[in-house]
Amino acid sequence: MLVKEIGISKRACFYSIMLFFIHEVQSYSELSAESYGIIYSFKDGNSKAIYLSDQGGRSPVRIVKATSSDGYPAVSPSKDKVTFYGKYDNFKTWSIHTVDITGRNLKRLTRKKYVWDSAPAWSLDGMTIAFAREYENKEGVWQEEIWLMNADGSEQRQIKNLAGRAPEFMPDGRLLYQSKASPSQISIASLDGGEVIQLTQDDTDNMSPQISPDGTKIAYLSNRDGNQEVYVMDIDGTNNKRLTRNDIQEWDPSWSPDGTKVYFASENVYGFYDVFSVNVDGTSIKRILQNSSQATVVPGLDQEALKKLMNTNERQ
C-alpha cells in the first residue's frame, strides 16, 4: 500500500487527517493570495467540485460546483479564468465550461449530448481551448478525437488528422497528446494534425502528458513496468525516469510552478483519491491534498480575485 511505502503509520495517518480538518476551519485571512497555488477537483459530499487551496490543504475554498462531477481544471494564462469539465444526463454527457477565478460568470461551452468532452487546455495566448472528445460511433467503434474552440466556445472544430486524448499546448504552439493507437503513445503534432512526432516507442500504454514550466521535460503515466506509474522524460523522448513505485494506479500528473516536483493522484482507503507530490528525481513523496484529484497550479493569484472568491463563498 502507498501509506506503507512512504513510511506513514496508522497513527500518523490519523493525526494527518485531524490536522487537515483543523486547517480547514482556519480563517481565510491567515493566508494570502500567494499561498493559494493549487486548483483541483475535490470530493464535496457526494459530488465533485472545483476547489482552490494552498499546498497544505488548509482553508480550501470552492470556486464552482456546476454539476455533480466537476474536474480537469486548468487556469488561463491571464490567471482570471478556469476551464473544466462537468457531467450531465446521468454522467453520459460530459461538457467543457469556463468560470472566472472568482467563481462568477459560469458558462457551458460544449453541449453535444452523449459524448465525453474532457481535459481542456488553454493556448498560451488564452484565445483557444483544446479538449478531448470520446464517444461510440454508429458502428459501435469507440472514437477518441481532439478538438479546438475559441475561449468563448465559438468555432468548435475537430483536428481531423489526430486521434487521441489529453491535449496540451506546448510553448511553441504545437500540441502534446496521447494517441488512440493501442497501446497509446505520447506524441507531438502541429495544430492542423500534421508533422506528428512519436516520443514513446514501447508496447505499453503511455498517457496523460504534461509539459514542464520550462518546456524541457514531460511528465506522464505508463504501465510499462506492470503498474500505472508516474514517469518523466526529456522533450525529445529520451532520459525516461520512473518516479513512483506503488501497487495501485497513479493518475493526473502535473508540474509545480518551479518544475522541481510532479503532482499526482493515488487512490485512498475511502474509494477516492489523494494528491501527492514527488521530486523529479523520485525522492520525497508527500501527500498534499486529501479526497482530491486532477490538481494543477495557479501561478500568481491576484489578492483582489481571492477576496472576491471568498465573498462569493460566504454568500453560498
Side-chain angles (χ1 to χ4, degrees):
M1 295 293 294
L2 184 60
V3 168
K4 182 183 292 184
E5 180 182 332
I6 61 179
I8 301 178
S9 67
K10 290 183 179 179
R11 180 174 294 180
C13 286
F14 171 77
Y15 285 127
S16 66
I17 292 172
M18 292 301 295
L19 285 171
F20 172 79
F21 286 110
I22 291 171
H23 289 153
E24 188 171 9
V25 298
Q26 288 181 326
S27 169
Y28 290 136
S29 63
E30 295 179 26
L31 294 173
S32 66
E34 290 77 13
S35 300
Y36 279 81
I38 298 183
I39 188 171
Y40 55 98
S41 178
F42 178 73
K43 195 171 187 298
D44 192 353
N46 294 323
S47 303
K48 292 193 304 177
I50 305 301
Y51 271 71
L52 182 73
S53 87
D54 72 313
Q55 291 192 21
R58 296 174 298 170
S59 302
V61 56
R62 190 172 77 194
I63 293 178
V64 69
K65 188 174 184 179
T67 71
S68 61
S69 186
D70 300 333
Y72 288 108
V75 180
S76 65
S78 58
K79 308 178 186 64
D80 61 347
K81 287 190 175 295
V82 179
T83 184
F84 64 98
Y85 87 151
K87 299 180 181 179
Y88 299 86
D89 303 323
N90 293 320
F91 307 107
K92 296 177 182 178
T93 300
W94 302 4
S95 297
I96 307 299
H97 305 70
T98 56
V99 68
D100 292 349
I101 194 72
T102 60
R104 304 173 182 177
N105 298 318
L106 173 67
K107 183 176 182 180
R108 183 178 176 185
L109 302 185
T110 66
R111 294 177 174 271
K112 188 172 180 60
K113 293 178 72 69
Y114 309 128
V115 301
W116 295 359
D117 291 344
S118 68
W122 296 91
S123 62
L124 271 64
D125 62 5
M127 301 296 291
T128 306
I129 296 173
F131 63 97
R133 171 167 289 179
E134 302 173 72
Y135 60 95
E136 188 175 77
N137 68 12
K138 294 179 180 179
E139 290 73 37
V141 178
W142 191 251
Q143 303 297 302
E144 295 180 8
E145 301 171 351
I146 295 177
W147 285 63
L148 301 172
M149 62 180 165
N150 295 341
D152 62 1
S154 62
E155 296 186 27
Q156 297 179 17
R157 63 271 191 195
Q158 180 189 356
I159 303 178
K160 297 287 188 180
N161 297 332
L162 294 187
R165 294 189 290 121
E168 175 84 359
F169 282 97
M170 298 179 62
D172 61 9
R174 293 181 297 169
L175 279 181
L176 179 67
Y177 69 102
Q178 71 178 64
S179 69
K180 181 181 183 295
S182 183
S184 58
Q185 303 292 341
I186 307 301
S187 297
I188 297 172
S190 59
L191 282 187
D192 61 3
E195 303 175 10
V196 175
I197 301 172
Q198 185 175 318
L199 300 180
T200 54
Q201 307 289 338
D202 55 50
D203 58 357
T204 60
D205 286 313
N206 299 277
M207 303 171 293
S208 302
Q210 292 284 312
I211 194 162
S212 63
D214 64 3
T216 65
K217 293 185 179 296
I218 295 169
Y220 66 103
L221 302 173
S222 180
N223 58 9
R224 67 175 59 126
D225 292 312
N227 188 58
Q228 186 167 294
E229 305 284 355
V230 180
Y231 292 75
V232 293
M233 63 180 169
D234 290 348
I235 193 66
D236 61 359
T238 62
N239 296 322
N240 285 265
K241 182 177 180 59
R242 179 179 174 181
L243 301 189
T244 61
R245 298 177 183 276
N246 195 13
D247 57 3
I248 56 178
Q249 292 184 333
E250 322 292 15
W251 298 92
D252 313 324
S254 64
W255 290 89
S256 64
D258 61 5
T260 63
K261 295 179 176 63
V262 175
Y263 303 132
F264 65 94
S266 192
E267 189 174 356
N268 60 29
V269 296
Y270 305 107
F272 197 59
Y273 301 90
D274 294 334
V275 172
F276 293 78
S277 69
V278 59
N279 293 338
V280 290
D281 62 1
T283 62
S284 188
I285 295 179
K286 298 178 181 179
R287 182 173 61 187
I288 58 175
L289 296 169
Q290 290 183 297
N291 282 328
S292 307
S293 63
Q294 299 165 347
T296 190
V297 299
V298 184
L301 179 65
D302 179 77
Q303 188 74 35
E304 186 63 28
L306 179 61
K307 183 178 179 180
K308 289 180 180 179
L309 181 58
M310 301 303 185
N311 291 337
T312 298
N313 272 256
E314 288 174 0
R315 293 196 299 271
Q316 290 177 345

